[in-house]
Amino acid sequence: MKIYNTLSKRKEEFVPLEEGKVKMYVCGPTVYNLIHIGNARPMIVFDTVRRYMEHKGYEVNYVSNFTDVDDKIIKKAIEEGVDASVISERYIAECKKDMAAMNVKPATTHPKATEEICGMLDMIGTLIEKGHAYTAPDGTVYFRTRSFKGYGKLSHKNLDELQGGNRSLLVTGEDQKEDPLDFVLWKPKKEGEPYWESPWCNGRPGWHIECSVMSKKYLGDEIDIHAGGEDLIFPHHENEIAQSEAANDKPFAKYWMHNAFLNIDNRKMSKSAGNFFTVRDISEKYDLQVLRFFMLSAHYRSPLNFSAELMEAAKNGYDRIVTSVSNLNYLLDHAASDTMSEDEKQLVEEAKAFIGSFDEAMDDDFNTADALAAIFELVKFANTNANAECSSEFIKALKDEIVMLSDICGLIVEKKQEMLDGDIEALIEERQAARKAKNFQRADEIRNELLDKGIVLEDTREGVKWKRV
Ligand code: AMP
Ligand code: ZN
């Protein structure tokens, strides 16, 4: 399995630190509003990376944080006259609803920055002790960027280039810094803001230290994969590397993965630019599985432009798989025989080639566009070869393969078929008749068949009642 590593700018063979295990950290959203579909891109693509790795047999420890202390959260709390935690808790709950609707698995751990302050104080203390950080007169703690030799290795920038680019900082009043390249680890509180006590001043952490600390606590000093959107490469991830490696004296993450932007009219979708759709907006028009399909229809390192036409194309693509599975389910219920013929066995062998192309695409730095193409080939194969003369074993083999590959992409393609009220009642009548005839075996079969379809029977004095569960 090859992963493009931003650190080496190359595709590298994935070798986990510990055999059979993957430790993965994905930077999560700042929770001051409903998430937009730009935020949904890393959620969906890295959830798919996780699912593929799990399918390959790895045990994945997946950590994704919520940044729940931030200027924007505080601003909104002041506007609404509530505590900052009211805002962050509200949007964490909303974000989790959106994730569930997009079939993004909950992380193994979803740490919140405000619950990890102790670890931040520890790491900042260590950095000061080691000479990598210093306190300014007002109590702000800065990281001494030039003290970390590898600074710039992720973003492939050199310090002098950065120094030039950052010259403007010299005139922004940050003159208490030793060097314009230094960045904040801890900052003093302002009136009305949440704060924590520290040896340096009452205040709150800088954003970068949060992820270094949460990653260390839940995954250890060294991790396999660290991921996020490409806007995080600099300065966020560059600073995380500096903090973690300077504090722990160990390489931080082995592979750095970054998704490209979701754009609209070829500009990055962002809350600050105001050119965004929330996941909730999209859910009013589409099943969010369509949004998931749309995100996976491009390689994660390619920019993706959001448009109504592409969403319609995604809808058609997704529906094609769902329809094929639903047709196979119909054929399954009406199959001519049970066991596979020799010819059918041969076809099932042929169909395994699609798993091969799917895996090949995913092994090549998670090329989900080609992986979806392999699913389409399989769907075409199933549509061509499955018919009313086939055995149920054969139909099921094809259906299971489509469902399995879709599931690795997190796509739900098998909708639970709802039984019509009339069909339920007909079966209940048949069951009553079977009971009268003392054919209890058939009566039980019917009860179980209904249960399979989510219908529960209750025998009461007034007769049989049923409900959907
Ligand atoms: P934020 O809440 O801005 O910190 O973003 C949370 C995650 O969403 C980060 O990994 C960002 O890089 C990512 N992200 C934000 N906007 C976009 C976008 N338009 N396209 C792709 N990823 C994005
Ligand atoms: Zn982060």
Side-chain angles (χ1 to χ4, degrees), residues 26 41 45 48 106 112 139 146 156 238 247 289 329 375 430:
V26 182
R41 190 169 189 195
V45 301
T48 307
K112 297 176 200 164
R146 282 182 194 275
H156 306 281
E238 195 68 67
Q289 289 290 298
N329 270 329
I375 299 182
E430 192 192 332

Side-chain angles (χ1 to χ4, degrees), residues 137-421:
D138 72 351
T140 307
V141 184
Y142 291 103
F143 186 87
R144 189 174 275 130
T145 300
R146 282 182 194 275
S147 75
F148 178 67
K149 292 287 161 273
Y151 198 82
K153 65 181 172 185
L154 181 72
S155 51
H156 306 281
K157 294 177 195 280
N158 69 47
L159 287 178
D160 297 328
E161 220 180 285
L162 288 170
Q163 177 84 61
N166 262 3
R167 200 154 283 149
S168 59
L169 289 181
L170 290 171
V171 293
T172 58
E174 290 193 297
D175 47 8
Q176 47 171 0
K177 285 185 186 182
E178 288 176 1
D179 187 309
L181 290 178
D182 297 347
F183 59 87
V184 171
L185 298 174
W186 187 264
K187 54 187 161 195
K189 75 173 176 112
K190 291 195 199 124
E191 197 48 44
E193 289 187 356
Y195 69 91
W196 291 264
E197 288 177 1
S198 84
W200 317 291
C201 64
N202 288 344
R204 61 184 168 102
W207 171 37
H208 317 302
I209 196 76
E210 297 174 6
C211 288
S212 282
V213 167
M214 291 186 269
S215 177
K216 178 183 170 80
K217 174 159 172 192
Y218 294 98
L219 298 170
D221 290 351
E222 292 182 74
I223 68 170
D224 293 291
I225 302 175
H226 196 117
E230 67 182 7
D231 52 334
L232 301 188
I233 298 174
F234 187 85
H236 186 52
H237 288 164
E238 195 68 67
N239 291 355
E240 277 191 49
I241 293 179
Q243 297 163 155
S244 296
E245 298 193 354
N248 305 329
D249 289 319
K250 296 215 183 89
F252 181 26
K254 233 176 138 181
Y255 304 89
W256 286 86
M257 296 180 74
H258 294 99
N259 65 274
F261 289 143
L262 178 73
N263 293 328
I264 189 157
D265 300 324
N266 297 310
R267 278 175 58 222
K268 180 194 170 195
M269 185 175 288
S270 77
K271 279 181 196 141
S272 49
N275 59 348
F276 67 90
F277 291 105
T278 63
V279 169
R280 224 40 84 77
D281 291 334
I282 301 301
S283 74
E284 279 167 23
K285 190 153 180 224
Y286 293 100
D287 180 340
L288 289 178
Q289 289 290 298
V290 173
L291 181 67
R292 186 163 183 127
F293 187 99
F294 164 76
M295 296 288 183
L296 298 180
S297 63
H299 189 274
Y300 75 93
R301 284 188 293 112
S302 306
L304 178 58
N305 211 32
F306 180 80
S307 71
E309 295 80 57
L310 284 178
M311 279 300 283
E312 279 306 309
K315 183 177 182 314
N316 290 337
Y318 173 65
D319 284 349
R320 224 164 102 204
I321 309 177
V322 173
T323 308
S324 173
V325 170
S326 139
N327 288 343
L328 290 170
N329 270 329
Y330 178 85
L331 290 174
L332 203 52
D333 285 344
H334 300 83
S337 59
D338 292 340
T339 16
M340 264 196 259
S341 67
E342 287 308 312
D343 284 355
E344 287 177 338
K345 279 187 192 156
Q346 181 61 37
L347 285 169
V348 169
E349 276 311 306
E350 269 177 48
K352 287 198 182 135
F354 302 111
I355 304 183
S357 359
F358 180 92
D359 281 6
E360 203 180 303
M362 292 298 271
D363 283 341
D364 182 16
D365 191 31
F366 307 97
N367 190 336
T368 52
D370 284 0
L372 289 182
I375 299 182
F376 278 139
E377 287 296 315
L378 171 61
V379 162
K380 203 163 113 194
F381 182 87
N383 292 351
T384 314
N385 291 295
N387 57 50
E389 271 88 62
C390 296
S391 71
S392 56
E393 200 184 351
F394 172 67
I395 307 277
K396 185 165 182 313
L398 292 181
K399 186 195 87 171
D400 286 351
E401 194 174 319
I402 300 178
V403 172
M404 176 193 73
L405 296 183
S406 304
D407 186 52
I408 298 171
C409 298
L411 292 168
I412 303 167
V413 292
E414 189 169 28
K415 307 269 168 185
K416 271 216 164 127
Q417 279 178 330
E418 286 236 319
M419 276 188 98
L420 298 174
D421 290 7

